[in-house]
Amino acid sequence: MKEFDIENLSQEEKEKLLKEMLEENIVLKAKIKEKDDYWNKRIQKKNRKIDALSHRLSRKEKEIANLNLELAEYLKIIEKKDIELSYYRRKIFGSTSEKQRREDASKDKDIKPKQKKKPGRKKDKSISENLCSDDSKKETYIEDEYENNPDYTFVSEEIVSNKVIAVPARYKVIQILRRTYRDKNGNLVTTTINNASFTSFPNSYLTPEFLASLAVDKYELGLPLYRMEKYFKGIGLNISRQALSNYLIDLADMLEPMVGEYKVILISKDLLGADETTQKVLSEKKKCYMWVFGTMPHEKERIKFYQFEIDRKGDRPKEFLKGFKGYLISDAYSGYNKVENIKRVFCYAHLKRKFNAITYRLDDEQKKKSEAYRLELLISEIYKKDNEIFVSSESFDEIKEKRKEIIKPLVDNLFNEFDDKLENSTGKLHEAISYAKNNKEGFFTFLEDGRIPLDNNYIEGEVIKPFVIDRKNFLFSNTGNGARATAIIMTVLLTATANGLNGFEYLTYLIRELQTKRLPANYQEYYPWNESMKKKFGRPIKMKERGKKQKTAK
């Protein structure tokens, strides 16, 4: 900007100068305004971008929050499925016995240090009196270089060890020959065949031993027919699986009248256990079932009864148990409600499993806060006290009295806890408590009779489990007739083994007798609980059920 001496300027120059300055000021203001507009537009543009980004950020934050909620739900579902998977894996592959858990207090007990074993000669594990209970299977082996030496006198002998030698099963084909002779008078005569093994099935190559072996292999050892067919081909016998199946159906037809008598005896009892499981039958278009019924282990007549039906309707047990009066132990399946004149007994093992399915994956800290675990411990305490009563009692009447005194207060307390926790419980815990509450009466019935066990484990473990194991091998039956044959043969075979008989030897004898006599006047002489049968075919048995110690009511 130029410098002027204002005082020496004329009036005209002053006006001119002022005019120039005003014009420059206008120009400057215009430039400033232009710059302001430019930057304001830039700022507005940036602000719009910031607003847009802020909106997008807010939207993304909401999406992230929603995704986190979904993730939390999925994690809960995964955790739930993991618990269910672990439970079913344990149920399928783990131990099936209802063993009681050790009390948490046992962890605080002093653990005694292991004592060092004293040096000495190690005991030979192969020397065992229980290795083989059948003396006919034992042979002795002696290397004695002094036996024939007169300079040595025998003093004693001892078992050094036992060795087990495998001798593969052998099958042989015996060709039965009939000879013809001519007597002095010129008449032709033929020889007679008196061996019962050969005369039992005159128009077939079957023998009682072969037929009994098929039944034992399939129903006691769980060997499916296609494997038998493969094995027979390997040893040179050409017998198809269809032929084997037909033989077993014929065997079932032979044993069916005797099984009918088993049912009459079964229905005459006043305490039975029952259960059911699926069976696949290819000729049927729907799910079929194998129903099982059994007497308790304290009975003289230990019967394991299998009944094939095409469905699970309540009419099935109603029809089968027609005429039965007494206690029926089972799960809480409503189909059994149709059976008349019974008092239902519900299984505490089923109840405990419902709580165990919740607590199975919990660690020690979680268990301390878990209501389900606390309720499960109450059930375990009932089991513990009831077992102590059983072991210490001499009769079922004594068990009944002790249960009223000791067990009933525990059961009352358990169901009072269910009453208190039902309203505020959710999920699986609510389902478990509701299951107990809805079936309360059946969970108290065991207190009425000392013979009634706390659970249905005997039926599940000793009756239905053998069929389930066999089913995993043979998978299905082609027809309902084959499934019926399975039920009949398993009833006879497993009832025999339950009463301490050798299944193969007993079934061989039974087939020979039934086939020879055709229609015996009295099946009673062949019942497996008869002393005569036990003397002929008895074998030591190990009872898995609680009833190892036999008790009788006073």
Side-chain angles (χ1 to χ4, degrees):
M1 182 180 290
K2 295 179 181 181
E3 295 181 0
F4 299 95
D5 188 1
I6 303 289
E7 295 178 356
N8 297 326
L9 293 178
S10 62
Q11 184 65 30
E12 185 178 350
E13 288 176 339
K14 287 180 180 181
E15 290 179 356
K16 184 179 178 181
L17 178 61
L18 181 59
K19 185 179 180 181
E20 289 177 357
M21 291 176 68
L22 290 173
E23 289 176 355
E24 287 180 3
N25 189 33
I26 292 171
V27 171
L28 286 172
K29 285 183 177 181
K31 287 183 178 180
I32 291 170
K33 187 175 183 306
E34 183 180 352
K35 292 291 184 182
D36 285 344
D37 292 342
Y38 170 77
W39 287 111
N40 284 335
K41 288 180 179 179
R42 290 285 302 273
I43 290 170
Q44 289 176 0
K45 187 176 181 181
K46 294 294 183 182
N47 286 336
R48 285 196 296 269
K49 285 186 177 180
I50 291 171
D51 291 340
L53 290 173
S54 297
H55 180 69
R56 289 182 62 188
L57 178 61
S58 176
R59 190 174 61 190
K60 293 295 182 183
E61 287 176 346
K62 289 181 180 179
E63 290 180 1
I64 291 171
N66 291 333
L67 289 174
N68 284 332
L69 290 175
E70 290 183 14
L71 178 61
E73 290 296 324
Y74 282 123
L75 288 175
K76 287 181 181 179
I77 293 173
I78 290 171
E79 183 181 3
K80 179 181 177 182
K81 294 299 181 183
D82 281 343
I83 293 173
E84 291 180 359
L85 180 61
S86 299
Y87 169 71
Y88 286 115
R89 278 178 176 168
R90 182 167 62 90
K91 187 175 180 182
I92 295 171
F93 302 110
S95 174
T96 57
S97 62
E98 291 293 327
K99 296 180 179 177
Q100 302 305 311
R101 294 184 176 184
R102 297 177 180 176
E103 299 295 335
D104 291 340
S106 65
K107 298 178 181 178
D108 301 329
K109 292 182 179 179
D110 295 333
I111 300 175
K112 296 182 179 180
K114 291 184 179 179
Q115 296 181 354
K116 293 184 179 179
K117 293 182 179 179
K118 295 180 180 180
R121 183 178 177 183
K122 293 182 178 180
K123 185 178 180 180
D124 191 339
K125 294 181 180 179
S126 69
I127 302 176
S128 172
E129 296 179 357
N130 298 324
L131 180 62
C132 180
S133 58
D134 188 352
D135 291 336
S136 65
K137 301 293 191 299
K138 295 179 182 178
E139 295 181 7
T140 57
Y141 174 77
I142 302 174
E143 290 184 0
D144 189 351
E145 65 270 31
Y146 304 109
E147 184 176 11
N148 298 320
N149 192 327
D151 296 334
Y152 295 90
T153 302
F154 175 78
V155 177
S156 65
E157 65 182 14
E158 64 174 340
I159 300 174
V160 178
S161 66
N162 289 316
K163 304 296 180 184
V164 178
I165 297 176
V167 180
R170 295 186 302 168
Y171 292 87
K172 56 185 178 182
V173 176
I174 298 177
Q175 293 182 329
I176 303 172
L177 303 180
R178 177 181 283 114
R179 290 182 173 179
T180 302
Y181 292 87
R182 189 183 299 275
D183 61 14
K184 295 179 180 180
N185 298 324
N187 299 319
L188 296 177
V189 293
T190 57
T191 57
T192 58
I193 301 169
N194 296 317
N195 192 311
S197 293
F198 304 146
T199 57
S200 296
F201 299 91
N203 298 319
S204 170
Y205 52 75
L206 285 180
T207 61
E209 291 82 1
F210 182 71
L211 199 51
S213 176
L214 290 182
V216 170
D217 285 347
K218 180 171 183 181
Y219 300 115
E220 191 173 8
L221 303 181
L223 192 66
L225 294 181
Y226 79 89
R227 290 186 197 164
M228 294 189 203
E229 179 186 35
K230 184 178 180 181
Y231 172 74
F232 288 143
K233 284 184 179 179
I235 62 174
L237 284 177
N238 297 315
I239 306 176
S240 68
R241 78 182 75 175
Q242 184 59 53
L244 297 175
S245 177
N246 291 335
Y247 298 154
L248 291 174
I249 291 174
D250 291 341
L251 174 60
D253 292 338
M254 186 190 307
L255 299 176
E256 191 169 14
M258 188 172 182
V259 170
E261 295 196 7
Y262 282 5
K263 180 180 177 182
V264 173
I265 297 171
L266 188 77
I267 299 301
S268 68
K269 302 297 178 182
D270 62 350
L271 174 61
L272 296 178
D275 204 353
E276 73 287 332
T277 186
T278 58
Q279 181 175 10
K280 186 176 182 180
V281 178
L282 297 184
S283 63
E284 299 291 337
K285 302 301 181 183
K286 56 183 177 180
K287 189 182 294 185
C288 299
Y289 283 83
M290 184 67 76
W291 295 75
V292 299
F293 305 89
T295 58
M296 293 295 103
H298 66 268
E299 296 279 4
K300 176 188 175 182
E301 302 91 349
R302 291 181 180 169
I303 299 176
K304 298 180 178 181
F305 203 101
Y306 298 81
Q307 177 77 8
F308 169 73
E309 299 291 354
I310 59 172
D311 54 42
R312 199 189 180 207
K313 293 180 179 179
D315 293 333
R316 304 305 177 185
K318 178 184 178 181
E319 179 64 26
F320 182 86
L321 294 173
K322 189 175 183 179
F324 170 69
K325 297 179 181 180
Y327 297 101
L328 183 66
I329 310 170
S330 68
D331 55 25
Y333 172 51
S334 60
Y336 293 107
N337 291 334
K338 289 191 173 183
V339 183
E340 300 173 351
N341 301 317
I342 67 166
K343 197 156 190 179
R344 298 199 61 184
V345 183
F346 292 141
C347 174
Y348 270 82
H350 282 80
L351 177 60
K352 188 179 178 184
R353 286 182 203 135
K354 291 185 178 296
F355 292 98
N356 185 253
I358 303 170
T359 64
Y360 179 63
R361 291 287 299 275
L362 301 182
D363 57 32
D364 291 340
E365 289 299 319
Q366 291 172 323
K367 286 178 180 177
K368 292 178 182 178
K369 303 175 184 178
S370 172
E371 198 63 43
Y373 183 67
R374 193 176 67 83
L375 294 172
E376 184 183 357
L377 288 180
L378 293 179
I379 301 174
S380 296
E381 183 66 15
I382 294 173
Y383 264 102
K384 179 182 176 183
K385 294 297 182 183
D386 191 69
N387 191 59
E388 290 174 357
I389 290 172
F390 183 87
V391 172
S392 63
S393 301
E394 295 298 329
S395 70
F396 291 118
D397 290 338
E398 185 179 351
I399 291 175
K400 177 182 176 181
E401 294 304 318
K402 287 183 178 180
R403 277 178 169 176
K404 287 182 179 179
E405 179 184 351
I406 300 172
I407 302 298
K408 189 176 185 305
L410 297 177
V411 178
D412 288 336
N413 179 57
L414 176 65
F415 277 85
N416 288 336
E417 290 287 342
F418 289 156
D419 290 337
D420 296 338
K421 305 302 177 186
L422 179 62
E423 185 176 348
N424 296 325
S425 61
T426 58
K428 283 189 171 293
L429 179 59
H430 185 80
E431 292 178 11
I433 295 176
S434 297
Y435 173 83
K437 289 282 295 174
N438 294 337
N439 301 290
K440 180 177 179 179
E441 183 180 352
F443 285 113
F444 276 81
T445 311
F446 79 100
L447 297 168
E448 299 178 5
D449 195 319
R451 299 172 302 160
I452 304 175
L454 268 178
D455 51 44
N456 202 27
N457 284 351
Y458 174 72
I459 297 297
E460 291 186 1
E462 298 294 320
V463 185
I464 206 167
K465 185 178 179 180
F467 171 76
V468 172
I469 293 174
D470 288 350
R471 184 184 62 192
K472 287 182 179 179
N473 289 294
F474 60 67
L475 300 179
F476 56 82
S477 296
N478 281 324
T479 64
N481 198 26
R484 178 194 64 87
T486 293
I488 292 173
I489 297 173
M490 288 193 73
T491 297
V492 174
L493 183 59
L494 271 68
T495 296
T497 56
N499 285 276
L501 305 189
N502 181 298
F504 170 75
E505 294 177 359
Y506 170 74
L507 200 54
T508 300
Y509 170 80
L510 185 61
I511 293 170
R512 182 178 290 115
E513 288 291 301
L514 296 183
Q515 184 66 13
T516 303
K517 296 181 179 180
R518 296 296 175 181
L519 291 175
N522 186 7
Y523 287 97
Q524 187 173 353
E525 61 180 296
Y526 304 114
Y527 291 163
W529 48 84
N530 289 346
E531 290 301 322
S532 59
M533 294 293 103
K534 291 184 177 182
K535 287 180 181 179
K536 286 183 180 180
F537 311 112
R539 65 179 181 184
I541 57 174
K542 295 181 179 179
M543 297 301 297
K544 294 182 180 179
E545 65 275 4
R546 192 180 69 159
K548 291 180 182 178
K549 184 178 178 183
Q550 294 298 310
K551 301 183 186 297
T552 56
K554 289 182 181 179

